[in-house]
Amino acid sequence: MRTKDLVTTAISNTFRSKLRTTLTVLAIFVGAFTLTLTNAVGAGVSQYVDAQVGALGSPDVFIITQASDATAAGDGPVEYDASSSASVSSNQGPPGTTTKALTDTDLATIGDTAGIESVDPIRSVQPDYIEYDSGIPYEFSINATSAVTTADLTAGAQLDGGASEAQLVLPDTFVTPLGFASADDAVGASVSIGITDILGETHVVDATVVGVSLESLLAAGAGANDALIAELADAQSGGIDTAVTSYGVAVAHFDTALSADAVTALKADLATAGYTASTIEDQLGAVQTVINGIVGVLNAFAVIALIAAAFGIINTLLMSVQERTREIGLMKAMGMSGGKVYTLFSLEAIVIGFLGSAIGAGVAIALGSALSAVLSQGLLAGLPGLNILVFEPASVAFVIGLVMLIAFLSGTLPAQRAAKQNPIESLRYE
């Protein structure tokens, strides 16, 4: 019997007992359906977290501050050292933590550290409002670290850090109020940003909108390139020549080719020099761990359902072997080898697994896509950009392949029993 005939016969034999096969396929369907949905939830949430992480900074960037001298709460305040740099407020430690400012000398030290490619201080600006075409002004803020972040864009392009033109990435919540017809309509427009200087006088700085981004949960404010930040900072200073010599935070770029161990060693070198360096992964690693743990637990329930379905496959094929004992004896008496008998029953198991997994994955994609669209417009409307269920082709293919493998392994015992049948005894079976 040729391979093509074996496959055709296996498919035909699968539907001999329609009720039994249907019940087995339904059991597999439950496991495949659940596993496909849980993988989609994991992919959707991870995709959203990655987009939010991009709003905090690039993966090849350290957020650097002076190491805190403050001790844990209850140990008392830290004695003032007049020779040290000024202190700034910080959210890098527990409440009550005092963080010293970084000086130009600190920036030079950080830049000279082996493995650091560049280091730049973060200059904070506090604009008052933004308006378009002399329309209604709206309160406005800028994310201080936006020059090193990746915005979750709905239109336009990312900021060009090296551009001399003042560029802005506008949050999508400002599009309609400012009078734009759509996000695409806002791209390329010139907006005016008002800022008050230290003398109380208001200045207006013009900027070009290069992109429109979804609102981020982790980093509030619009994105601005270095040129816009510099213009706003100069306006904020009121034209007074006050050279900035201390900074609360700096960003340092390191080589993306560095291994995880090398990055850890680099952080240790900076810590030895008296600085605290953290990556975006450090800040949100715990969040991703929790997400992976939840998805892992859900996947475990799906696997349990598949294991239960595997026993259904074993039962179905064992019953099939018993019912077809004389048929097996006849096939072997006519020259069919034990190996081909084994292959025939293994193919039947694989067909059952494919039917259950394909139908389960298909139904999961259809229902999940509809559910995700409804949730994004309703319950999850407050989380723009979140598609709670994302079905990746590779993930769906993996689920179908996994179920077919489980089905094949489940069919091994019945297939071996069929292959070892004695043709003479099988023909005498009543």
Side-chain angles (χ1 to χ4, degrees), residues 1-15 324 331 336 339-352 354-355 404:
M1 186 177 285
R2 295 173 300 178
T3 302
K4 179 181 178 181
D5 296 327
L6 282 173
V7 174
T8 303
T9 304
I11 295 174
S12 176
N13 289 339
T14 300
F15 296 98
R324 293 156 57 191
M331 287 188 294
M336 190 173 184
K340 288 190 175 181
V341 172
Y342 178 88
T343 301
L344 177 63
F345 279 86
S346 295
L347 286 173
E348 291 181 24
I350 292 174
V351 169
I352 292 174
F354 174 75
L355 287 174
M404 290 175 68

Side-chain angles (χ1 to χ4, degrees), residues 38-53:
T38 54
N39 282 344
V41 170
V45 175
S46 295
Q47 186 182 85
Y48 182 69
V49 169
D50 289 342
Q52 296 300 310
V53 168

